[in-house]
Amino acid sequence: MKLAFAAVIVALASVADFAAAAAPATPTGRLEGYRRRLPFWSPRPSRRALSPATTAPPTAARKRDDPPPVSAPPAPTVSDIWEIEEPPAEPFEILEPWGSATSSPTADATSVSSPSGPPNAASDSVWEDAANHGCRLVDAMRTSDQEAGKLYSPAKSSVQSSLMSFDDFTSWGWNANEINAGNLSDFDGGQQKPDPGWGIGHALRELGVSDKIKAQGGKNVIIDALHGKEPFTQGYTKNGKSYPATGAEFKIGINTDDGVLMAMDRISPASAAKKRSPPVSDDQLPDVHAFSDIGYLNYKNILGKDPKNMKYMMSVMITNDKTASIIAKALGGGELGPWPGKSFNWRSKEFKALLGSPNGMGFGYLLVQHKSQLGNLFIKDVQIFHGDTWHKLPNMLFTLEVQNGQDPPPKSSGLPPQMVEPLVTGVPGKLRRGGLAPVMPTMQARGPKNFVRAHIKHVEL
């Protein structure tokens, strides 16, 4: 009798074990909804289909840029360890991965980045559009102010910007605040999550320029240009008319000693205005809205005179989907590497597409519209590389030189150029402040500086 009873107990236990093994594992609340985002420009590792009861292989326990493991209670077993991510600490919030399925592409970007690795290469139409735009910027940089004016439709006698004083910047509701501490002042940071440091210190040192801010003994100043003052409830008056603050924000790195200008984060007035409640209408936006003017005016203000020694311009931590797709196509299927990355001469079509991308054209316009103040500078090449950061976001470095007059003048296609400086050249961040709502890029034409929009064949120079 006792033996029979024991046999029944063993049988019931076996049935229970079998049922427990067959039942799907219930994820814990701590793990639900989180995903590990791999470096955007690194090939996605092979992923093994593991059963809920299978332990992940130890070699996949952490990726290269993760901090070293610390003593902690054992984590519950999961089906794929690449799907776990703890939410980052404030004040920064990590949004969806660059190019995720939930991202909104730019208005006419037909090919955007993939959620499972590097972004897809730009479509032919996006590529040709950017190359044509960059080609016209090259034409305008290499000619005189008067000749550049002929590229506009209707033609202009001059393309010189009318915004030449720092008073133009402040009188239109902008405030320039210097960032002297924290992760955002760290050019070497960004290797560990969620540190938003810039990860370009090595590149700056290789260029032979300062890699620290002035407060740390370096030569750089990081300006946080904000349109209005938080919480942006109070506006300003210009020429007797009242305007609301939009909350637009540009972070700009400036090194006047070494001649370096860096676009580090760009949230345009037009983009920020749509997030106000109620939204700010277009006729209430400030005249100072483009990076070409905002970057120039802040650089000149810090230097105290017209800048003549600019050598480098850099777009840092690029998150714009269209620019990302153009970078991917320029790489020709190759991977984006760390510094020095890959270079393209100004005569190449890749250069023109990168210059004509949303994150590149602002630099071209800055040079075109300030010829007499800058000494007729010209961009001779571009380097694309990812920063030394955990997310591996790309950077673009443009190298400047004074035109020597030895190159032949540009060849005209005889057609009106397709050149418009967009109001939005970046996304406020996959790395952004917790209080800001995500703003996705939109391409808009606005203001008297616009070139006529037309589809033209790319002209090789």
Side-chain angles (χ1 to χ4, degrees):
M1 184 66 178
K2 291 181 178 181
L3 290 176
F5 180 78
V8 171
I9 294 297
V10 170
L12 291 175
S14 299
V15 171
D17 289 342
F18 177 82
T26 302
T28 65
R30 186 178 69 86
L31 300 178
E32 286 181 354
Y34 298 126
R35 292 184 294 165
R36 176 174 294 287
R37 298 170 178 86
L38 303 182
F40 304 116
W41 288 94
S42 299
R44 195 172 181 88
S46 299
R47 299 173 58 173
R48 299 175 59 184
L50 306 177
S51 67
T54 304
T55 306
T59 56
R62 66 184 182 96
K63 60 188 177 72
R64 182 179 59 189
D65 293 323
D66 279 347
V70 296
S71 300
T77 303
V78 292
S79 61
D80 188 338
I81 66 162
W82 292 108
E83 297 297 334
I84 305 173
E85 180 181 75
E86 289 296 330
E90 290 293 321
F92 279 83
E93 177 183 354
I94 312 302
L95 302 181
E96 286 301 313
W98 180 36
S100 69
T102 58
S103 297
S104 298
T106 50
D108 53 355
T110 57
S111 177
V112 297
S113 46
S114 164
S116 60
N120 296 330
S123 65
D124 289 344
S125 62
V126 170
W127 177 257
E128 292 297 328
D129 216 30
N132 289 336
H133 201 145
C135 185
R136 287 300 153 198
L137 279 171
V138 169
D139 288 356
M141 283 190 290
R142 295 180 61 215
T143 60
S144 66
D145 177 54
Q146 292 75 21
E147 289 297 317
K150 296 178 181 178
L151 296 173
Y152 285 74
S153 181
K156 297 183 177 184
S157 60
S158 171
V159 295
Q160 169 67 48
S161 173
S162 61
L163 304 168
M164 294 304 300
S165 167
F166 194 69
D167 288 340
D168 293 322
F169 177 78
T170 56
S171 65
W172 277 104
W174 288 93
N175 299 284
N177 307 297
E178 189 173 342
I179 300 176
N180 285 321
N183 292 340
L184 288 178
S185 66
D186 185 2
F187 287 105
D188 275 308
Q191 286 85 12
Q192 307 296 335
K193 298 169 70 170
D195 179 6
W198 303 108
I200 57 173
H202 174 66
L204 296 177
R205 289 187 289 273
E206 288 292 309
L207 291 171
V209 302
S210 176
D211 62 341
K212 292 180 174 58
I213 62 172
K214 288 187 175 181
Q216 299 168 347
K219 300 177 181 179
N220 290 284
V221 175
I222 299 180
I223 295 296
D224 186 17
L226 199 62
H227 191 239
K229 295 182 179 180
E230 296 185 89
F232 311 115
T233 55
Q234 186 172 354
Y236 60 98
T237 301
K238 174 70 174 178
N239 298 330
K241 181 180 177 181
S242 296
Y243 294 88
T246 63
E249 185 173 17
F250 288 69
K251 290 186 179 68
I252 306 169
I254 298 172
N255 175 354
T256 57
D257 291 298
D258 297 323
V260 184
L261 174 65
M262 292 172 278
M264 309 176 92
D265 195 11
R266 298 183 243 184
I267 309 174
S268 76
S271 179
K274 293 179 174 61
K275 301 299 177 182
R276 308 310 305 158
S277 182
V280 178
S281 60
D282 289 347
D283 62 351
Q284 293 181 302
L285 296 178
D287 278 0
V288 180
H289 60 264
F291 174 79
S292 57
D293 287 318
I294 294 172
Y296 171 81
L297 292 175
N298 279 275
Y299 192 102
K300 178 181 177 180
N301 181 59
I302 292 176
L303 182 61
K305 59 182 180 180
D306 288 336
K308 300 285 187 180
N309 69 332
M310 296 184 74
K311 298 178 182 177
Y312 302 105
M313 294 176 167
M314 187 186 302
S315 183
V316 184
M317 283 192 184
I318 294 170
T319 58
N320 183 280
D321 283 323
K322 176 181 280 189
T323 302
S325 70
I326 293 170
I327 290 175
K329 191 172 183 72
L331 290 169
E335 293 181 25
L336 181 69
W339 176 266
K342 193 166 184 177
S343 299
F344 298 98
N345 181 272
W346 69 273
R347 292 180 181 276
S348 68
K349 189 168 184 177
E350 290 84 356
F351 171 91
K352 297 179 180 75
L354 293 166
L355 178 63
S357 71
N359 288 77
M361 65 179 71
F363 296 121
Y365 277 102
L366 191 153
L367 298 183
V368 169
Q369 295 165 357
H370 302 90
K371 286 179 177 289
S372 61
Q373 292 78 31
L374 297 174
N376 209 27
L377 290 173
F378 175 73
I379 301 175
K380 68 175 184 178
D381 60 43
V382 61
Q383 287 174 259
I384 49 177
F385 64 99
H386 70 65
D388 299 325
T389 54
W390 60 267
H391 43 68
K392 300 296 187 291
L393 285 173
N395 308 294
M396 285 196 299
L397 173 73
F398 295 94
T399 302
L400 280 58
E401 67 178 5
V402 178
Q403 298 186 64
N404 54 28
Q406 297 177 358
D407 290 314
K411 299 175 182 178
S412 174
S413 66
L415 294 174
Q418 189 250 346
M419 296 173 66
V420 177
E421 183 178 7
L423 297 184
V424 176
T425 53
V427 186
K430 309 303 186 205
L431 300 172
R432 67 166 174 86
R433 293 183 302 157
L436 276 176
V439 183
M440 299 312 298
T442 56
M443 303 293 291
Q444 301 183 39
R446 177 181 180 270
K449 295 190 293 186
N450 294 340
F451 283 71
V452 69
R453 188 172 184 82
H455 292 283
I456 62 174
K457 291 291 290 182
H458 174 76
V459 179
E460 294 292 345
L461 300 178

